[in-house]
Amino acid sequence: RIHFTLALHKGLYMNYKDMLQKEKKERYVVRKTPLTDPERVNLRDLNPKESYTGQVISLKNFGAYVDIGSEVDGLLHVSQISREQFVRHPREILSLGDEVEVRVVRASPEMKKLQLTMLPESVLEEEAIRKNFEDDEDDERIQLDEVFIDDELWGEIRRVTDYGAYVELGAVVRGFLHFMDHPMWEDHKGSPPSEFMKLGDRVRVWVSGVDTTQKRIKLTGNRPDGLPGPRREIKWI
C-alpha cells in the first residue's frame, strides 16, 4: 500500500510538472521573424496611418504588444482596441499569437517606441475633432477626480455600439453604458442595443466605475441597491 501511495504521488507530481511546462510554453509566442533579423523594418521607415498585419506577442493590463515586422514591438493600448465594447483587459478581445490588423499612430526612432491602433480612422478623426473642441471648454467640464461611484448624472447618448452606448455627461470623457445596464434591457432581451438605445436619448444614469488611469467612466441605468438617496446629482445641459 505504501509503494502504491508513493507511486500515485509521483504520478500526480509528474502530471503537475507537465501541466506547468505546457502552461509555460503557451505563455510564449514563436515569432515569424527573430527581433535580431536585419530585414526588420526600421522605425524611420514607418508612416502614421499605415496598416499592417501583426502578431500579438504579449498581453498586459494596459494593452498588448504586437509584432508588425519592425525593429521593436508596437504597443496597442487597451483604449485603442475597440469602441464597440468596454475593454477592461486586452485578453477579453485578444489572445497570444493572434493575427491582428493595426495601423501606426506614432513611431519614435529616437526612443525606440511604436504606438498602434485597431480603431478605424474615421473614429480617430471624430475623436480628435471632439477633443480639440472640448479642450477649449475643458475648464467647464467635470474632471474625473470630481466623479464618484454612485453619483447620479444626466446625459445624452452620442454613440451606440453592439455592446452599449457612449453617453455625453459634460465630463472630460464620455461614459459607457452597457446594454445590460440599461433599465429597458429586461423588456428587450434578445434585441440589439439600437432597439432601445437611441442617439440623442436623454438618460438618467449612475456611476458604477471610474478609471482615472485609462480615463473611463462606467455607467448603469439602474439605481444602485442600498442607495439611501441621491448623494449628489450632476446635471449636464
Side-chain angles (χ1 to χ4, degrees):
R1 181 177 295 179
I2 293 176
H3 290 300
F4 173 76
T5 303
L6 290 174
L8 178 61
H9 286 174
K10 185 177 180 180
L12 291 173
Y13 176 70
M14 293 303 294
N15 288 338
Y16 176 68
K17 284 188 65 177
D18 290 342
M19 181 183 69
L20 289 180
Q21 288 178 351
K22 182 179 179 182
E23 288 181 353
K24 188 175 181 180
K25 287 180 181 177
E26 289 176 347
R27 292 195 197 108
Y28 298 94
V29 178
V30 179
R31 297 177 184 270
K32 296 178 180 178
T33 307
L35 275 175
T36 54
D37 193 310
E39 297 297 319
R40 281 186 168 268
V41 180
N42 193 291
L43 290 182
R44 297 183 187 279
D45 297 326
L46 298 178
N47 297 312
K49 299 184 180 181
E50 279 189 312
S51 297
Y52 294 88
T53 298
Q55 183 182 28
V56 177
I57 298 300
S58 65
L59 298 173
K60 307 293 182 182
N61 290 336
F62 52 83
Y65 283 97
V66 180
D67 183 356
I68 64 169
S70 57
E71 58 182 305
V72 297
D73 294 332
L75 173 61
L76 177 64
H77 193 269
V78 66
S79 66
Q80 296 297 307
I81 294 176
S82 174
R83 286 292 183 273
E84 296 302 309
Q85 69 181 92
F86 192 86
V87 183
R88 297 173 182 81
H89 193 286
R91 64 170 171 263
E92 296 177 5
I93 304 291
L94 306 171
S95 299
L96 291 179
D98 279 357
E99 286 196 350
V100 292
E101 290 295 322
V102 294
R103 288 185 298 109
V104 174
V105 175
R106 189 179 297 108
S108 173
E110 296 77 15
M111 301 182 67
K112 297 294 182 185
K113 289 186 177 181
L114 175 62
Q115 296 178 17
L116 306 171
T117 182
M118 288 176 62
L119 301 178
E121 189 173 340
S122 58
V123 172
L124 293 179
E125 289 177 351
E126 177 191 332
E127 292 181 351
I129 293 172
R130 180 164 58 86
K131 184 178 187 303
N132 290 335
F133 174 76
E134 291 173 352
D135 282 346
D136 296 334
E137 55 177 22
D138 203 38
D139 292 340
E140 300 178 9
R141 286 182 165 267
I142 304 167
Q143 303 298 311
L144 286 181
D145 59 5
E146 298 175 326
V147 180
F148 301 95
I149 303 296
D150 291 345
D151 269 349
E152 182 180 337
L153 301 92
W154 284 88
E156 181 179 309
I157 292 179
R158 292 293 181 87
R159 179 193 291 274
V160 179
T161 74
D162 292 336
Y163 295 89
Y166 286 90
V167 181
E168 175 61 66
L169 303 165
V172 291
V173 295
R174 290 177 179 172
F176 183 76
L177 176 63
H178 193 277
F179 71 89
M180 292 180 67
D181 291 321
H182 193 284
M184 294 178 63
W185 178 69
E186 289 289 338
D187 299 326
H188 292 81
K189 285 185 178 179
S191 301
S194 57
E195 287 291 320
F196 55 93
M197 305 175 88
K198 304 291 186 181
L199 288 178
D201 278 358
R202 293 273 292 169
V203 289
R204 183 187 190 185
V205 292
W206 287 265
V207 177
S208 59
V210 180
D211 189 331
T212 55
T213 302
Q214 297 181 13
K215 296 183 178 180
R216 293 176 173 182
I217 300 175
K218 187 180 178 184
L219 306 170
T220 178
N222 300 303
R223 198 169 192 278
D225 293 334
L227 198 62
R231 189 181 65 171
R232 167 168 93 134
E233 183 172 336
I234 303 174
K235 288 190 176 182
W236 174 76
I237 299 176

